[in-house]
Amino acid sequence: SFSDFSLKMTIETAVNLGVDFSEHDIERMLHHINQLDEIRMNQHFRTVFLFQEESCSGFISEFSKRQPRMLEFLKDLEENAFRLDRMNKGAKISSVAGSSVGAIGG
């Protein structure tokens, strides 16, 4: 699976630049790549970057308006998941009981 693949990746990366760079230039490029990777992995930066076209206050205002409805949906979803889990357990019990009766009467 993909998660297994990411665990097998190595830290070392081989790159053929095809051009003669000094060791200093290569180290500088590697430093820049590492900085960009840190920025890319920063969750706060990604969030700000996503909403750069929108003002934060607009997003917060819209979120505040929709939050009660979202929380209601989540509550309903949790209740339905609980009921579904209970039904699933009941079906398993019925199946085991039915199999036992069939084996005894069999």
Side-chain angles (χ1 to χ4, degrees):
S1 76
F2 183 72
S3 59
D4 295 335
F5 173 75
S6 64
L7 294 175
K8 295 175 186 174
M9 290 181 11
T10 60
I11 300 299
E12 289 187 40
T13 304
V15 177
N16 182 3
L17 298 175
V19 179
D20 292 331
F21 287 106
S22 71
E23 188 172 334
H24 174 74
D25 289 338
I26 293 173
E27 286 179 10
R28 206 174 81 213
M29 284 191 291
L30 182 59
H31 178 69
H32 288 167
I33 290 170
N34 288 334
Q35 282 181 321
L36 290 170
D37 187 52
E38 282 182 39
I39 290 169
R40 184 179 65 87
M41 297 307 289
N42 183 310
Q43 181 179 5
H44 298 293
F45 177 81
R46 288 194 318 244
T47 303
V48 169
F49 185 77
L50 275 174
F51 295 105
Q52 65 184 348
E53 300 293 323
E54 286 269 334
S55 71
C56 278
S57 60
F59 172 77
I60 291 170
S61 172
E62 192 66 30
F63 181 81
S64 297
K65 281 191 254 177
R66 297 176 185 260
Q67 184 183 18
R69 186 92 167 117
M70 290 189 300
L71 292 174
E72 183 182 331
F73 280 132
L74 289 173
K75 181 180 169 236
D76 291 346
L77 182 63
E78 188 176 6
E79 288 172 1
N80 288 331
F82 177 75
R83 280 192 222 119
L84 186 60
D85 188 47
R86 216 172 42 205
M87 287 171 49
N88 187 29
K89 286 178 186 175
K92 285 181 183 177
I93 291 170
S94 297
S95 175
V96 169
S99 298
S100 300
V101 170
I104 293 171

